[in-house]
Amino acid sequence: MPAELMLPRSIDGKPVTAIGRYAFAGKEDITNVVIPYGVTCLEEGALCWCKNLENVIIPQTVTHIEKDFFVCACTSLRETDFLLFFFLCFVLFPSII
């Protein structure tokens, strides 16, 4: 069953500032992800191997994207905020652009 993952802005009153390493890796039912405003770090492999992932919304607050955040076998990825994504890649990892 397709699922949209809308991460909360806070948990137990504490702000969510990162998506942890391999947090949702391999969850094949996830099709859409909305990362909340306030998250600053997308850790390694957090969305790897999500084969049915189609859309990811990344807020402007993200300043750090670790390797393989969602690229490993995310063969269905169709849409994301690519302008922001490529801007971040250019700023954070100028050698890969």
Side-chain angles (χ1 to χ4, degrees):
M1 172 190 281
E4 179 168 276
L5 179 61
M6 293 188 70
L7 301 169
R9 290 183 76 169
S10 64
I11 297 174
D12 295 329
K14 297 181 181 182
V16 173
T17 59
I19 308 303
R21 292 182 74 214
Y22 302 98
F24 302 102
K27 303 291 185 188
E28 294 185 10
D29 59 329
I30 296 174
T31 57
N32 300 292
V33 175
V34 178
I35 298 169
Y37 187 84
V39 169
T40 59
C41 181
L42 305 176
E43 295 184 5
E44 179 180 352
L47 293 174
C48 272
W49 307 295
C50 295
K51 287 192 218 178
N52 295 309
L53 182 63
E54 295 177 357
N55 305 297
V56 178
I57 304 299
I58 300 172
Q60 295 177 346
T61 54
V62 172
T63 58
H64 182 79
I65 300 174
E66 292 186 0
K67 70 177 184 168
D68 298 333
F69 170 68
F70 58 50
V71 295
C72 307
C74 290
T75 56
S76 297
L77 190 61
R78 296 183 307 183
E79 183 178 326
T80 189
D81 190 340
F82 282 110
L83 183 59
L84 175 60
F85 179 73
F86 284 115
F87 172 75
L88 288 171
C89 286
F90 178 74
V91 170
L92 300 172
F93 313 105
S95 63
I96 65 169
I97 300 293

Coordinates of all heavy atoms in Angstrom, one line a residue:
M1 N 0.8 -1.2 0.0 CA 0.0 0.0 0.0 C 0.9 1.2 0.0 O 1.8 1.4 0.9 CB -0.9 0.0 1.2 CG -1.7 1.3 1.4 SD -2.5 1.4 3.0 CE -3.9 0.4 2.7
P2 N 0.7 2.2 -0.9 CA 1.5 3.4 -1.0 C 1.3 4.2 0.3 O 0.2 4.3 0.8 CB 1.0 4.1 -2.2 CG 0.3 3.1 -3.0 CD -0.2 2.1 -2.0
A3 N 2.4 4.8 0.7 CA 2.3 5.6 1.9 C 3.0 6.9 1.8 O 4.1 7.0 1.1 CB 2.9 4.8 3.1
E4 N 2.4 8.0 2.4 CA 3.1 9.3 2.4 C 3.7 9.4 3.8 O 3.0 9.2 4.8 CB 2.1 10.4 2.2 CG 2.8 11.8 2.2 CD 1.9 12.9 1.7 OE1 1.9 13.1 0.5 OE2 1.3 13.5 2.5
L5 N 4.9 9.8 3.9 CA 5.6 10.0 5.2 C 5.7 11.5 5.4 O 6.5 12.1 4.7 CB 7.0 9.3 5.1 CG 7.9 9.4 6.3 CD1 7.2 8.7 7.5 CD2 9.2 8.7 6.0
M6 N 5.0 11.9 6.4 CA 5.0 13.3 6.8 C 5.7 13.4 8.2 O 5.0 13.1 9.1 CB 3.6 14.0 6.8 CG 3.0 14.1 5.4 SD 1.5 15.0 5.4 CE 2.1 16.6 5.7
L7 N 6.9 13.8 8.2 CA 7.6 13.8 9.4 C 7.2 14.9 10.3 O 6.9 16.0 9.8 CB 9.1 13.8 9.1 CG 9.6 12.7 8.3 CD1 11.0 12.9 7.8 CD2 9.6 11.4 9.1
P8 N 7.2 14.7 11.6 CA 6.7 15.8 12.5 C 7.8 16.9 12.7 O 9.0 16.6 12.5 CB 6.5 15.1 13.8 CG 7.4 14.0 13.8 CD 7.5 13.5 12.3
R9 N 7.4 18.1 13.0 CA 8.3 19.2 13.3 C 8.9 19.0 14.7 O 10.0 19.6 15.0 CB 7.6 20.5 13.2 CG 7.3 20.9 11.8 CD 6.6 22.2 11.6 NE 7.7 23.2 11.8 CZ 7.6 24.5 11.5 NH1 6.4 24.9 11.1 NH2 8.6 25.3 11.6
S10 N 8.2 18.3 15.6 CA 8.8 18.1 16.9 C 8.3 16.7 17.4 O 7.3 16.2 17.0 CB 8.3 19.2 17.9 OG 7.0 19.2 18.0
I11 N 9.0 16.2 18.4 CA 8.7 15.0 19.1 C 8.9 15.2 20.6 O 10.0 15.6 21.0 CB 9.6 13.8 18.6 CG1 9.3 13.5 17.1 CG2 9.3 12.5 19.4 CD1 10.2 12.5 16.5
D12 N 7.8 15.0 21.3 CA 7.8 15.2 22.8 C 8.3 16.7 23.1 O 9.1 16.9 24.0 CB 8.7 14.2 23.5 CG 8.1 12.8 23.4 OD1 6.9 12.7 23.3 OD2 8.9 11.8 23.4
G13 N 7.9 17.6 22.3 CA 8.2 19.0 22.5 C 9.6 19.4 22.0 O 10.0 20.6 22.1
K14 N 10.4 18.5 21.5 CA 11.7 18.8 21.0 C 11.7 18.9 19.5 O 11.2 18.0 18.8 CB 12.8 17.8 21.5 CG 12.9 17.8 23.0 CD 13.9 16.8 23.5 CE 13.9 16.8 25.0 NZ 14.9 15.9 25.5
P15 N 12.4 19.9 18.9 CA 12.3 20.0 17.4 C 13.1 18.9 16.7 O 14.1 18.4 17.2 CB 13.0 21.4 17.2 CG 13.9 21.6 18.4 CD 13.2 20.9 19.5
V16 N 12.6 18.5 15.6 CA 13.2 17.5 14.8 C 14.2 18.3 13.9 O 13.8 19.1 13.2 CB 12.2 16.7 13.9 CG1 13.0 15.8 12.9 CG2 11.3 15.9 14.8
T17 N 15.5 18.0 14.0 CA 16.5 18.7 13.3 C 17.3 17.8 12.3 O 18.1 18.3 11.5 CB 17.5 19.4 14.2 OG1 18.1 18.4 15.0 CG2 16.8 20.4 15.1
A18 N 17.1 16.5 12.4 CA 17.8 15.6 11.5 C 17.0 14.4 11.2 O 16.1 14.0 12.0 CB 19.1 15.2 12.1
I19 N 17.2 13.8 10.0 CA 16.7 12.5 9.7 C 17.9 11.6 9.8 O 18.9 11.7 9.1 CB 16.1 12.5 8.2 CG1 15.1 13.6 8.0 CG2 15.5 11.1 7.9 CD1 14.0 13.7 9.0
G20 N 17.8 10.6 10.7 CA 18.9 9.8 11.1 C 19.4 8.8 10.0 O 18.7 8.5 9.1
R21 N 20.6 8.3 10.2 CA 21.2 7.3 9.3 C 20.3 6.1 9.2 O 19.9 5.5 10.1 CB 22.5 6.8 9.9 CG 23.6 7.9 9.9 CD 24.9 7.4 10.4 NE 25.5 6.5 9.4 CZ 26.2 5.5 9.6 NH1 26.5 5.1 10.8 NH2 26.7 4.8 8.6
Y22 N 20.0 5.8 7.9 CA 19.2 4.6 7.5 C 17.8 4.6 8.2 O 17.3 3.5 8.4 CB 20.0 3.4 7.7 CG 21.3 3.4 6.9 CD1 22.5 3.7 7.5 CD2 21.3 3.1 5.6 CE1 23.7 3.8 6.8 CE2 22.4 3.2 4.8 CZ 23.6 3.5 5.4 OH 24.8 3.6 4.7
A23 N 17.3 5.7 8.6 CA 16.0 5.8 9.4 C 14.9 5.1 8.7 O 14.1 4.4 9.3 CB 15.7 7.3 9.6
F24 N 14.8 5.3 7.4 CA 13.7 4.7 6.6 C 14.2 3.8 5.5 O 13.4 3.5 4.6 CB 12.7 5.8 6.1 CG 12.2 6.6 7.2 CD1 12.7 7.9 7.4 CD2 11.2 6.2 8.0 CE1 12.3 8.7 8.5 CE2 10.7 7.0 9.1 CZ 11.3 8.2 9.3
A25 N 15.4 3.4 5.5 CA 16.0 2.6 4.5 C 15.2 1.3 4.3 O 14.9 0.6 5.2 CB 17.5 2.3 4.8
G26 N 15.0 1.0 3.0 CA 14.3 -0.3 2.7 C 12.8 -0.3 2.8 O 12.2 -1.3 2.6
K27 N 12.2 0.8 3.2 CA 10.8 0.8 3.4 C 10.1 1.0 2.0 O 10.0 2.1 1.5 CB 10.4 2.0 4.3 CG 11.0 1.9 5.7 CD 10.5 0.8 6.5 CE 11.0 0.8 7.9 NZ 10.7 -0.3 8.7
E28 N 9.8 -0.1 1.4 CA 9.3 -0.1 0.0 C 7.9 0.5 -0.1 O 7.5 0.8 -1.2 CB 9.4 -1.5 -0.6 CG 10.8 -2.0 -0.7 CD 10.9 -3.3 -1.4 OE1 9.9 -3.8 -1.9 OE2 12.0 -3.8 -1.4
D29 N 7.1 0.6 1.0 CA 5.8 1.2 0.9 C 5.8 2.7 0.8 O 4.8 3.3 0.5 CB 4.9 0.7 2.0 CG 5.5 1.1 3.4 OD1 6.7 1.2 3.5 OD2 4.7 1.3 4.3
I30 N 6.9 3.4 1.1 CA 6.9 4.8 1.1 C 7.0 5.3 -0.3 O 7.9 4.9 -1.1 CB 8.2 5.3 1.9 CG1 8.0 5.0 3.4 CG2 8.3 6.9 1.7 CD1 9.3 5.3 4.2
T31 N 6.1 6.2 -0.7 CA 6.0 6.8 -2.0 C 6.3 8.3 -2.0 O 6.9 8.8 -3.0 CB 4.7 6.6 -2.7 OG1 3.6 7.1 -1.9 CG2 4.4 5.1 -3.0
N32 N 6.0 9.0 -0.9 CA 6.1 10.4 -0.8 C 6.7 10.7 0.6 O 6.2 10.2 1.6 CB 4.8 11.1 -1.0 CG 4.2 10.9 -2.3 OD1 4.7 11.3 -3.3 ND2 3.1 10.2 -2.4
V33 N 7.6 11.7 0.6 CA 8.2 12.1 1.9 C 8.2 13.7 2.0 O 8.6 14.3 1.0 CB 9.7 11.7 2.0 CG1 10.3 12.2 3.3 CG2 9.7 10.1 2.0
V34 N 7.6 14.2 3.1 CA 7.7 15.6 3.3 C 8.5 15.8 4.6 O 8.2 15.3 5.7 CB 6.2 16.1 3.6 CG1 6.3 17.6 3.9 CG2 5.4 15.9 2.4
I35 N 9.7 16.4 4.4 CA 10.6 16.7 5.5 C 10.2 18.1 6.0 O 10.1 19.0 5.3 CB 12.1 16.7 5.0 CG1 12.4 15.3 4.4 CG2 13.0 17.1 6.1 CD1 13.7 15.2 3.7
P36 N 10.0 18.2 7.3 CA 9.5 19.4 7.9 C 10.5 20.6 7.9 O 11.8 20.3 8.0 CB 9.1 19.1 9.3 CG 10.0 17.9 9.7 CD 10.2 17.2 8.4
Y37 N 10.0 21.8 7.9 CA 10.8 23.0 8.0 C 11.5 22.9 9.4 O 10.9 22.5 10.4 CB 9.9 24.2 8.0 CG 10.7 25.5 8.0 CD1 11.2 26.0 6.8 CD2 10.9 26.2 9.1 CE1 11.9 27.2 6.8 CE2 11.6 27.4 9.1 CZ 12.1 27.9 7.9 OH 12.9 29.0 7.9
G38 N 12.8 23.2 9.5 CA 13.5 23.1 10.7 C 14.6 22.0 10.7 O 15.5 22.1 11.4
V39 N 14.3 21.0 9.9 CA 15.3 19.9 9.7 C 16.5 20.5 9.0 O 16.4 21.2 8.0 CB 14.8 18.7 8.9 CG1 15.9 17.8 8.5 CG2 13.7 18.0 9.7
T40 N 17.7 20.3 9.5 CA 19.0 20.9 9.0 C 19.9 19.8 8.4 O 20.7 20.1 7.6 CB 19.7 21.7 10.0 OG1 20.1 20.8 11.1 CG2 18.9 22.9 10.5
C41 N 19.7 18.5 8.8 CA 20.6 17.5 8.4 C 19.9 16.3 7.9 O 19.0 15.8 8.6 CB 21.5 17.1 9.5 SG 22.7 15.8 9.1
L42 N 20.2 15.8 6.7 CA 19.7 14.5 6.1 C 20.9 13.6 6.1 O 21.8 13.7 5.4 CB 19.2 14.8 4.7 CG 18.2 15.9 4.6 CD1 17.8 16.1 3.1 CD2 16.9 15.6 5.5
E43 N 20.8 12.6 7.1 CA 21.9 11.7 7.3 C 22.0 10.6 6.3 O 21.1 10.3 5.6 CB 21.9 11.2 8.7 CG 22.1 12.3 9.7 CD 22.2 11.8 11.2 OE1 22.2 10.6 11.4 OE2 22.3 12.7 12.1
E44 N 23.2 9.9 6.3 CA 23.5 8.9 5.3 C 22.4 7.8 5.2 O 22.0 7.3 6.2 CB 24.8 8.3 5.7 CG 25.3 7.1 4.8 CD 26.6 6.5 5.2 OE1 27.3 7.0 6.1 OE2 27.0 5.5 4.6
G45 N 22.0 7.6 3.9 CA 21.2 6.4 3.6 C 19.8 6.5 4.2 O 19.1 5.5 4.2
A46 N 19.3 7.6 4.7 CA 18.0 7.7 5.4 C 16.9 7.2 4.6 O 15.9 6.6 5.1 CB 17.7 9.1 5.9
L47 N 16.9 7.4 3.2 CA 15.9 6.9 2.4 C 16.4 6.0 1.3 O 15.7 5.7 0.3 CB 15.2 8.1 1.7 CG 14.4 9.0 2.6 CD1 13.9 10.3 1.8 CD2 13.2 8.3 3.3
C48 N 17.5 5.4 1.5 CA 18.1 4.4 0.6 C 17.2 3.2 0.5 O 16.5 2.8 1.4 CB 19.4 3.9 1.0 SG 20.8 4.9 0.5
W49 N 17.2 2.6 -0.7 CA 16.4 1.3 -1.0 C 14.9 1.5 -0.8 O 14.2 0.5 -0.6 CB 17.0 0.2 -0.2 CG 18.5 0.0 -0.3 CD1 19.2 -0.3 -1.4 CD2 19.4 0.2 0.7 NE1 20.5 -0.3 -1.2 CE2 20.7 0.0 0.1 CE3 19.4 0.6 2.1 CZ2 21.9 0.1 0.9 CZ3 20.5 0.7 2.8 CH2 21.8 0.4 2.2
C50 N 14.4 2.7 -1.0 CA 13.0 2.9 -1.0 C 12.5 2.9 -2.4 O 12.4 3.9 -3.1 CB 12.6 4.2 -0.3 SG 13.0 4.3 1.5
K51 N 12.4 1.7 -2.9 CA 12.2 1.4 -4.4 C 11.0 2.2 -5.0 O 11.0 2.5 -6.1 CB 12.0 0.0 -4.6 CG 13.2 -0.9 -4.6 CD 12.9 -2.2 -5.1 CE 13.6 -3.3 -4.4 NZ 13.2 -4.6 -4.9
N52 N 10.0 2.4 -4.2 CA 8.8 3.1 -4.7 C 8.7 4.6 -4.4 O 7.7 5.2 -4.7 CB 7.5 2.4 -4.1 CG 7.5 0.9 -4.7 OD1 7.6 0.7 -5.9 ND2 7.3 0.0 -3.8
L53 N 9.7 5.1 -3.8 CA 9.8 6.5 -3.5 C 9.7 7.4 -4.8 O 10.5 7.2 -5.7 CB 11.1 6.9 -2.8 CG 11.2 8.3 -2.3 CD1 10.1 8.7 -1.3 CD2 12.6 8.5 -1.7
E54 N 8.7 8.2 -4.9 CA 8.5 9.0 -6.1 C 8.8 10.5 -5.9 O 9.2 11.2 -6.7 CB 7.1 8.9 -6.6 CG 6.7 7.5 -7.0 CD 5.3 7.3 -7.5 OE1 4.5 8.3 -7.3 OE2 4.9 6.2 -7.9
N55 N 8.4 11.1 -4.7 CA 8.5 12.5 -4.4 C 9.1 12.7 -3.1 O 8.8 12.1 -2.1 CB 7.1 13.1 -4.4 CG 6.3 12.8 -5.7 OD1 6.8 13.3 -6.7 ND2 5.2 12.1 -5.6
V56 N 10.0 13.8 -3.0 CA 10.6 14.2 -1.7 C 10.5 15.7 -1.7 O 11.0 16.4 -2.6 CB 12.0 13.7 -1.6 CG1 12.6 14.2 -0.3 CG2 12.2 12.2 -1.7
I57 N 10.0 16.2 -0.6 CA 10.0 17.7 -0.4 C 11.1 18.0 0.6 O 11.0 17.5 1.8 CB 8.6 18.2 0.0 CG1 7.5 17.8 -0.9 CG2 8.6 19.7 0.2 CD1 7.7 18.3 -2.3
I58 N 12.1 18.8 0.3 CA 13.2 19.2 1.1 C 13.0 20.7 1.5 O 13.0 21.5 0.5 CB 14.5 18.9 0.5 CG1 14.6 17.4 0.1 CG2 15.7 19.3 1.3 CD1 15.8 17.0 -0.7
P59 N 13.0 21.0 2.7 CA 12.8 22.4 3.1 C 14.2 23.2 2.9 O 15.2 22.6 2.9 CB 12.4 22.4 4.6 CG 13.1 21.2 5.1 CD 13.0 20.2 3.9
Q60 N 14.0 24.5 2.9 CA 15.2 25.4 2.7 C 16.1 25.4 4.0 O 17.2 25.9 3.9 CB 14.8 26.8 2.4 CG 14.1 26.9 1.1 CD 13.6 28.3 0.8 OE1 13.5 29.1 1.7 NE2 13.3 28.5 -0.5
T61 N 15.6 24.8 5.1 CA 16.4 24.8 6.3 C 17.5 23.8 6.3 O 18.5 23.8 7.1 CB 15.5 24.5 7.5 OG1 14.8 23.3 7.3 CG2 14.6 25.7 7.8
V62 N 17.5 22.8 5.3 CA 18.5 21.8 5.2 C 19.8 22.4 4.7 O 19.9 23.1 3.7 CB 18.1 20.6 4.3 CG1 19.2 19.7 4.0 CG2 16.9 19.9 4.8
T63 N 20.9 22.2 5.5 CA 22.2 22.7 5.2 C 23.2 21.6 5.1 O 24.4 21.9 4.7 CB 22.7 23.7 6.3 OG1 22.7 23.0 7.6 CG2 21.8 24.9 6.3
H64 N 22.8 20.4 5.4 CA 23.8 19.3 5.3 C 23.1 18.0 4.8 O 22.1 17.6 5.4 CB 24.4 19.0 6.7 CG 25.4 17.9 6.7 ND1 26.7 18.1 6.3 CD2 25.3 16.6 7.1 CE1 27.4 17.0 6.4 NE2 26.6 16.1 6.9
I65 N 23.6 17.5 3.7 CA 23.1 16.2 3.1 C 24.2 15.3 3.0 O 25.2 15.5 2.3 CB 22.4 16.4 1.7 CG1 21.3 17.4 1.8 CG2 22.0 15.1 1.1 CD1 20.7 17.8 0.4
E66 N 24.1 14.1 3.7 CA 25.1 13.2 3.7 C 25.0 12.2 2.5 O 24.0 12.2 1.9 CB 25.1 12.3 5.0 CG 25.5 13.2 6.2 CD 25.7 12.4 7.5 OE1 25.5 11.1 7.5 OE2 26.0 13.0 8.5
K67 N 26.1 11.5 2.2 CA 26.1 10.7 1.0 C 25.0 9.7 1.0 O 24.5 9.2 2.1 CB 27.4 10.0 0.9 CG 27.7 8.9 1.9 CD 29.0 8.2 1.7 CE 29.2 7.1 2.7 NZ 30.2 6.2 2.4
D68 N 24.5 9.3 -0.2 CA 23.5 8.3 -0.4 C 22.2 8.6 0.5 O 21.6 7.6 0.9 CB 24.0 6.9 0.0 CG 25.2 6.6 -1.0 OD1 25.2 7.1 -2.1 OD2 26.0 5.7 -0.6
F69 N 21.9 9.8 0.7 CA 20.6 10.1 1.4 C 19.4 9.4 0.8 O 18.7 8.7 1.5 CB 20.4 11.6 1.5 CG 19.0 12.0 2.0 CD1 18.7 11.7 3.3 CD2 18.0 12.5 1.2 CE1 17.4 12.0 3.8 CE2 16.8 12.8 1.7 CZ 16.5 12.5 3.0
F70 N 19.2 9.5 -0.5 CA 18.2 8.7 -1.1 C 18.5 8.1 -2.5 O 17.6 7.6 -3.1 CB 16.9 9.5 -1.2 CG 16.9 10.8 -2.0 CD1 17.5 10.9 -3.3 CD2 16.4 11.9 -1.5 CE1 17.5 12.0 -4.0 CE2 16.4 13.1 -2.2 CZ 17.0 13.2 -3.4
V71 N 19.7 8.1 -2.8 CA 20.0 7.7 -4.2 C 20.1 6.1 -4.4 O 19.9 5.7 -5.5 CB 21.3 8.3 -4.7 CG1 21.2 9.8 -4.9 CG2 22.5 8.0 -3.8
C72 N 20.4 5.4 -3.4 CA 20.6 3.9 -3.5 C 19.3 3.3 -3.9 O 18.4 3.2 -3.1 CB 21.0 3.3 -2.2 SG 22.5 4.0 -1.5
A73 N 19.2 2.8 -5.1 CA 18.0 2.0 -5.6 C 16.7 2.7 -5.5 O 15.7 2.1 -5.3 CB 18.0 0.7 -4.9
C74 N 16.6 4.0 -5.5 CA 15.4 4.8 -5.5 C 15.0 5.0 -6.9 O 15.0 6.1 -7.4 CB 15.5 6.1 -4.7 SG 15.7 5.9 -2.9
T75 N 14.6 3.9 -7.6 CA 14.4 3.9 -9.0 C 13.1 4.6 -9.4 O 13.0 4.9 -10.6 CB 14.5 2.5 -9.6 OG1 13.5 1.7 -8.8 CG2 15.8 1.8 -9.4
S76 N 12.2 4.8 -8.5 CA 10.9 5.5 -8.9 C 10.9 7.0 -8.6 O 9.9 7.6 -8.9 CB 9.8 4.8 -8.1 OG 9.7 3.5 -8.4
L77 N 12.0 7.5 -8.1 CA 12.1 8.9 -7.7 C 11.8 9.8 -9.0 O 12.6 9.7 -9.9 CB 13.4 9.3 -7.1 CG 13.5 10.6 -6.5 CD1 12.5 10.8 -5.3 CD2 14.9 10.8 -5.9
R78 N 10.8 10.5 -8.9 CA 10.4 11.4 -10.1 C 10.5 12.8 -9.8 O 10.7 13.6 -10.7 CB 8.9 11.1 -10.5 CG 8.7 9.7 -11.0 CD 7.3 9.5 -11.4 NE 6.4 9.9 -10.3 CZ 5.1 9.8 -10.4 NH1 4.5 9.4 -11.5 NH2 4.3 10.2 -9.4
E79 N 10.2 13.2 -8.6 CA 10.0 14.7 -8.4 C 10.6 15.0 -7.0 O 10.4 14.3 -6.0 CB 8.6 15.0 -8.4 CG 8.2 16.4 -8.2 CD 6.7 16.6 -8.3 OE1 6.1 16.0 -9.1 OE2 6.3 17.5 -7.6
T80 N 11.3 16.1 -6.9 CA 11.8 16.6 -5.6 C 12.0 18.1 -5.9 O 11.8 18.6 -7.0 CB 13.0 15.9 -5.1 OG1 13.3 16.4 -3.8 CG2 14.2 16.1 -6.0
D81 N 12.4 18.8 -4.9 CA 12.7 20.2 -5.1 C 14.1 20.3 -5.7 O 15.0 20.6 -4.9 CB 12.5 21.0 -3.8 CG 12.6 22.5 -4.0 OD1 13.1 22.9 -5.1 OD2 12.1 23.2 -3.1
F82 N 14.3 19.9 -6.9 CA 15.6 19.8 -7.5 C 16.4 21.1 -7.5 O 17.6 21.0 -7.3 CB 15.5 19.3 -8.9 CG 15.3 17.8 -9.0 CD1 14.1 17.3 -9.4 CD2 16.3 16.9 -8.6 CE1 13.8 15.9 -9.5 CE2 16.0 15.5 -8.6 CZ 14.8 15.0 -9.1
L83 N 15.8 22.2 -7.7 CA 16.5 23.5 -7.6 C 17.2 23.6 -6.3 O 18.4 23.9 -6.2 CB 15.6 24.7 -7.9 CG 16.2 26.0 -7.9 CD1 17.3 26.1 -9.1 CD2 15.2 27.1 -8.1
L84 N 16.5 23.4 -5.2 CA 17.1 23.5 -3.9 C 18.1 22.4 -3.7 O 19.2 22.6 -3.2 CB 16.0 23.4 -2.8 CG 16.6 23.3 -1.4 CD1 17.4 24.6 -1.0 CD2 15.5 23.1 -0.4
F85 N 17.8 21.2 -4.2 CA 18.7 20.1 -4.0 C 20.1 20.4 -4.7 O 21.1 20.2 -4.1 CB 18.1 18.8 -4.6 CG 19.0 17.6 -4.5 CD1 19.2 17.0 -3.3 CD2 19.6 17.1 -5.6 CE1 20.1 15.9 -3.2 CE2 20.4 16.0 -5.5 CZ 20.6 15.4 -4.3
F86 N 20.0 20.8 -6.0 CA 21.2 21.1 -6.7 C 22.0 22.3 -6.1 O 23.2 22.3 -6.1 CB 21.0 21.2 -8.2 CG 20.7 19.9 -8.9 CD1 19.5 19.6 -9.4 CD2 21.7 18.9 -8.9 CE1 19.3 18.4 -10.0 CE2 21.5 17.7 -9.5 CZ 20.3 17.4 -10.0
F87 N 21.2 23.3 -5.6 CA 21.9 24.4 -5.0 C 22.7 23.9 -3.8 O 23.8 24.3 -3.6 CB 20.8 25.5 -4.6 CG 21.4 26.6 -3.7 CD1 22.2 27.5 -4.3 CD2 21.2 26.6 -2.3 CE1 22.7 28.6 -3.5 CE2 21.7 27.6 -1.6 CZ 22.5 28.6 -2.2
L88 N 22.0 23.1 -2.9 CA 22.7 22.6 -1.8 C 23.9 21.7 -2.2 O 25.0 21.9 -1.6 CB 21.8 21.7 -0.9 CG 20.7 22.5 -0.2 CD1 19.7 21.6 0.5 CD2 21.3 23.4 0.9
C89 N 23.8 20.9 -3.2 CA 24.9 20.1 -3.7 C 26.0 21.0 -4.1 O 27.2 20.8 -3.8 CB 24.5 19.2 -4.8 SG 23.5 17.8 -4.2
F90 N 25.7 22.1 -4.8 CA 26.7 23.0 -5.3 C 27.4 23.7 -4.2 O 28.6 23.8 -4.1 CB 26.1 24.1 -6.2 CG 27.0 25.1 -6.7 CD1 28.0 24.8 -7.7 CD2 27.0 26.4 -6.2 CE1 28.9 25.7 -8.2 CE2 28.0 27.3 -6.6 CZ 28.9 27.0 -7.6
V91 N 26.7 24.1 -3.2 CA 27.2 24.8 -2.0 C 28.0 23.9 -1.1 O 29.2 24.2 -0.7 CB 26.1 25.5 -1.2 CG1 26.7 26.0 0.1 CG2 25.5 26.7 -2.0
L92 N 27.5 22.7 -0.8 CA 28.1 21.8 0.1 C 29.1 20.9 -0.5 O 30.1 20.5 0.1 CB 27.0 20.9 0.8 CG 26.0 21.7 1.6 CD1 24.8 20.8 2.0 CD2 26.6 22.4 2.8
F93 N 28.9 20.5 -1.8 CA 29.8 19.5 -2.5 C 30.2 20.0 -3.9 O 29.8 19.4 -4.8 CB 29.1 18.2 -2.6 CG 28.4 17.7 -1.3 CD1 27.1 17.8 -1.2 CD2 29.2 17.2 -0.3 CE1 26.5 17.3 0.0 CE2 28.6 16.8 0.9 CZ 27.2 16.8 1.1
P94 N 30.8 21.2 -4.0 CA 31.1 21.7 -5.3 C 31.9 20.8 -6.2 O 31.8 20.9 -7.4 CB 31.9 23.0 -5.0 CG 32.4 22.8 -3.6 CD 31.4 21.9 -2.9
S95 N 32.6 19.9 -5.7 CA 33.4 19.0 -6.6 C 32.6 18.0 -7.3 O 33.1 17.3 -8.2 CB 34.5 18.3 -5.7 OG 33.9 17.5 -4.8
I96 N 31.3 17.7 -6.9 CA 30.5 16.7 -7.5 C 29.6 17.2 -8.6 O 29.0 16.5 -9.4 CB 29.7 15.9 -6.5 CG1 28.6 16.7 -5.9 CG2 30.6 15.2 -5.5 CD1 27.6 15.9 -5.1
I97 N 29.5 18.5 -8.7 CA 28.6 19.1 -9.8 C 29.4 19.3 -11.1 O 30.5 19.8 -11.1 CB 28.0 20.5 -9.3 CG1 27.2 20.2 -8.0 CG2 27.2 21.1 -10.4 CD1 25.9 19.4 -8.2

